[in-house]
Amino acid sequence: MQMILFKMDQQHYLISADTVEEVIDAPTFTPVPLAPKWVKGLINLRGSVVTVIRLAELIPITKPRYERNVLIMKKADERKGVLVEEVIEVIDVLPEAIQLSKQEAAYSAGIVSLGESVASVISIDQMIF
C-alpha cells in the first residue's frame, strides 16, 4: 500500500495515500474566530473553502518550528487540510511491515521500520471528519 512519509519535529510519520487527495504548499490562512486551537484556519482551494487542521495540536506530538505542507484529505464530498512540517515522499509499505505499537492512542495504527529510523503510522480521518 502507498503511504505518505512526512516529518514533524525530527519524527517520521506515515499516513495512507488513499486518504490524501493531494499535497500543497502551505498558503495564507484565514483565521476562524472561536475555533478550537487545532483549527489553523481556512484556505481557498480552487474555489472551495477548506478547513485546515494543525496536526501538532490535534494529536499529542511536539510542535515543529515550521509547517510547510498541507495534506488535503477527502471523505465523500468533504475536504479537510492537515498542516504538517514537511512531506518527504510517497513510499510503498507492505501491510505485514506495520507492527502494532504499545501506544494505544486513537490515531496510532502502528510503526514501520525504515532502515535506520522508525515511522509512526497514523490514522486521523475518523478524528477530522
Side-chain angles (χ1 to χ4, degrees):
M1 84 176 90
Q2 287 197 320
M3 303 197 89
I4 296 174
L5 176 67
F6 63 94
K7 71 176 188 171
M8 296 284 286
D9 192 44
Q10 304 303 316
Q11 298 293 319
H12 291 96
Y13 295 91
L14 288 164
I15 192 164
S16 173
D18 292 341
T19 62
V20 178
E21 185 176 63
E22 66 181 298
V23 177
I24 62 171
D25 291 335
T28 303
F29 300 95
T30 302
V32 180
L34 305 174
K37 69 178 185 175
W38 43 267
V39 173
K40 174 69 177 174
L42 303 174
I43 62 170
N44 180 342
L45 183 65
R46 293 182 295 280
S48 297
V49 176
V50 177
T51 302
V52 176
I53 295 161
R54 229 180 181 160
L55 184 63
E57 297 286 346
L58 183 65
I59 61 176
I61 58 177
T62 306
K63 184 178 175 184
R65 289 178 292 177
Y66 60 89
E67 293 158 315
R68 181 176 294 169
N69 296 122
V70 177
L71 304 173
I72 302 297
M73 302 180 72
K74 186 174 183 179
K75 187 172 187 178
D77 290 336
E78 192 175 357
R79 285 189 180 123
K80 296 273 173 78
V82 178
L83 188 60
V84 300
E85 180 178 340
E86 181 178 14
V87 171
I88 299 169
E89 65 181 324
V90 177
I91 63 173
D92 286 317
V93 176
L94 297 172
E96 55 269 14
I98 301 173
Q99 303 170 11
L100 296 178
S101 66
K102 295 177 183 172
Q103 184 179 12
E104 293 188 22
Y107 62 88
S108 180
I111 58 173
V112 173
S113 178
L114 301 172
E116 296 179 12
S117 65
V118 174
S120 297
V121 180
I122 61 170
S123 177
I124 58 168
D125 51 328
Q126 292 90 8
M127 297 173 73
I128 66 172
F129 288 105

